[in-house]
Amino acid sequence: MNASEIAKIAQIASALEVSGYPKPGNVHRIRDYDDMEFEDFLISGIVIGDTIREACDDVDVKNPKLGKYILQAVSETDKWIRNNTNLGIVMMIIPIAVAAAISNSFDEIRDNVKVLMENTSVDDACDLYDAINIADAGGMGDQDEYDVASDNAKKELKENKQTMYDVLKISAPWDMLAREMTSDMPAVFEIGYPTYHELSKEKSKNETCILTFLTLLSQVPDTLISRKYGSDEALKISMMTRDLLNLKNESDFEDKLKEFDDFLFKNKYNPGTTADLTAASIFVSYLKDNFI
């Protein structure tokens, strides 16, 4: 697929995800947070376009430089926005985008994500650490081994020849995005994308986004919540989401949805990882529709 087309789809997916209303527990069109607002996410989705286009142009499969482009996208976002709005989204979308660029059919994309991730380098790992630090996003590497906050982190990565794939594999047990990127993206390709793609045939873009988000959250406990409050709390939120989804055909579903959004917001449960998975799922669905 053409690099410019892929970049446009990435921008569309970012805009549609944040526009979902009310997407429970997250920033949306009528819900801002103290440190970020709806428009920040719209800007973030726009400014990554050039980086996605560059990443998808003339790809070197043996050295795709995924870390470089993740860092480049986060750095560009940092010029316009003073907080972490899209680190998770670009971490998910860039490998998928580059995979689409080297695929002859839509069905090759998932396999090519695996190939690209396994071909990441030590430089990619260092670039990823820089991106995490620019975004000030804790959690992915804040452990004893290769802690992103450590001054010696990149030195240790180089000495031990740890690639981006290697360090994400270490983070996978406690970070859903790392798990996705090192295990063929099952949440995106087996839950999120099929849900969005099917619902989009009969429902509005907004409703499709919300139901996809809820479906993901109901089946995959959010690791941003689990890192803040523990795995039991993350599981509790997923079970509450499942109960809510069972009411989706009821006349008062919209009221229940808003109540759930208010509950998560007031209790500071922010399923941000699920939002990233939703954006990636929308991206994959639009790739499917536009693949030539």
Side-chain angles (χ1 to χ4, degrees), residues 11-262:
Q11 292 170 304
I12 290 169
S14 297
L16 288 177
E17 183 279 318
V18 72
S19 298
Y21 161 74
K23 195 168 71 275
N26 286 278
V27 171
H28 52 67
R29 65 182 74 176
I30 67 166
R31 171 87 77 193
D32 293 335
Y33 277 59
D34 291 339
D35 59 344
M36 59 184 70
E37 56 190 25
F38 172 68
E39 290 81 5
D40 291 339
F41 288 85
L42 291 179
I43 293 170
S44 301
I46 293 169
V47 301
I48 64 172
D50 288 343
T51 296
I52 301 291
R53 191 176 301 107
E54 182 181 341
C56 294
D57 188 38
D58 194 22
V59 178
D60 180 354
V61 177
K62 294 184 179 179
N63 183 25
K65 300 180 180 179
L66 300 183
K68 169 191 172 181
Y69 293 114
I70 291 170
L71 173 58
Q72 190 169 308
V74 170
S75 298
E76 181 63 25
T77 303
D78 190 59
K79 294 178 185 178
W80 300 89
I81 304 297
R82 293 184 178 275
N83 45 52
N84 170 29
T85 50
N86 64 1
L87 171 65
I89 289 175
V90 299
M91 285 179 62
M92 292 296 296
I93 281 182
I94 284 176
I96 299 171
V98 178
I102 63 172
S103 296
N104 295 312
S105 71
F106 173 81
D107 292 335
E108 293 181 7
I109 293 176
R110 191 176 181 186
D111 287 339
N112 280 331
V113 169
K114 180 179 180 181
V115 171
L116 293 168
M117 285 301 304
E118 291 177 346
N119 285 345
T120 57
S121 65
V122 176
D123 286 341
D124 287 320
C126 293
D127 286 339
L128 176 63
Y129 272 39
D130 284 341
I132 293 170
N133 283 316
I134 288 173
D136 194 22
M140 186 159 299
D142 294 352
Q143 304 290 325
D144 292 337
E145 192 170 16
Y146 306 118
D147 182 357
V148 295
S150 168
D151 292 336
N152 296 319
K154 291 198 291 183
K155 179 181 178 182
E156 293 172 1
L157 291 174
K158 293 175 181 178
E159 288 177 348
N160 294 296
K161 299 180 180 179
Q162 296 293 292
T163 67
M164 189 172 89
Y165 180 89
D166 293 333
V167 296
L168 288 171
K169 197 71 175 176
I170 292 169
S171 303
W174 63 84
D175 186 272
M176 187 61 197
L177 299 186
R179 197 180 315 154
E180 282 287 289
M181 295 173 73
T182 55
S183 59
D184 304 341
M185 299 193 175
V188 169
F189 280 91
E190 296 172 21
I191 302 173
Y193 143 66
T195 300
Y196 189 91
H197 202 70
E198 194 61 32
L199 289 172
S200 66
K201 296 175 182 177
E202 57 183 37
K203 296 187 180 297
S204 69
K205 292 180 178 65
N206 184 69
E207 191 174 1
T208 299
C209 175
I210 296 303
L211 290 174
T212 300
F213 174 87
L214 293 174
T215 300
L216 283 162
L217 184 55
S218 71
Q219 297 185 38
V220 184
D222 192 284
T223 48
L224 184 58
I225 293 177
S226 65
R227 288 203 300 269
K228 290 182 178 179
Y229 303 108
S231 57
D232 288 345
E233 287 299 294
L235 180 59
K236 181 186 80 173
I237 298 303
S238 288
M239 297 302 293
M240 292 175 68
T241 306
R242 192 174 305 175
D243 291 340
L244 177 63
L245 264 178
N246 289 333
L247 303 174
K248 65 179 182 295
N249 295 321
E250 301 294 327
S251 59
D252 62 347
F253 175 67
E254 187 172 340
D255 292 335
K256 297 292 185 185
L257 183 61
K258 291 178 180 177
E259 288 175 9
F260 189 49
D261 181 30
D262 289 339

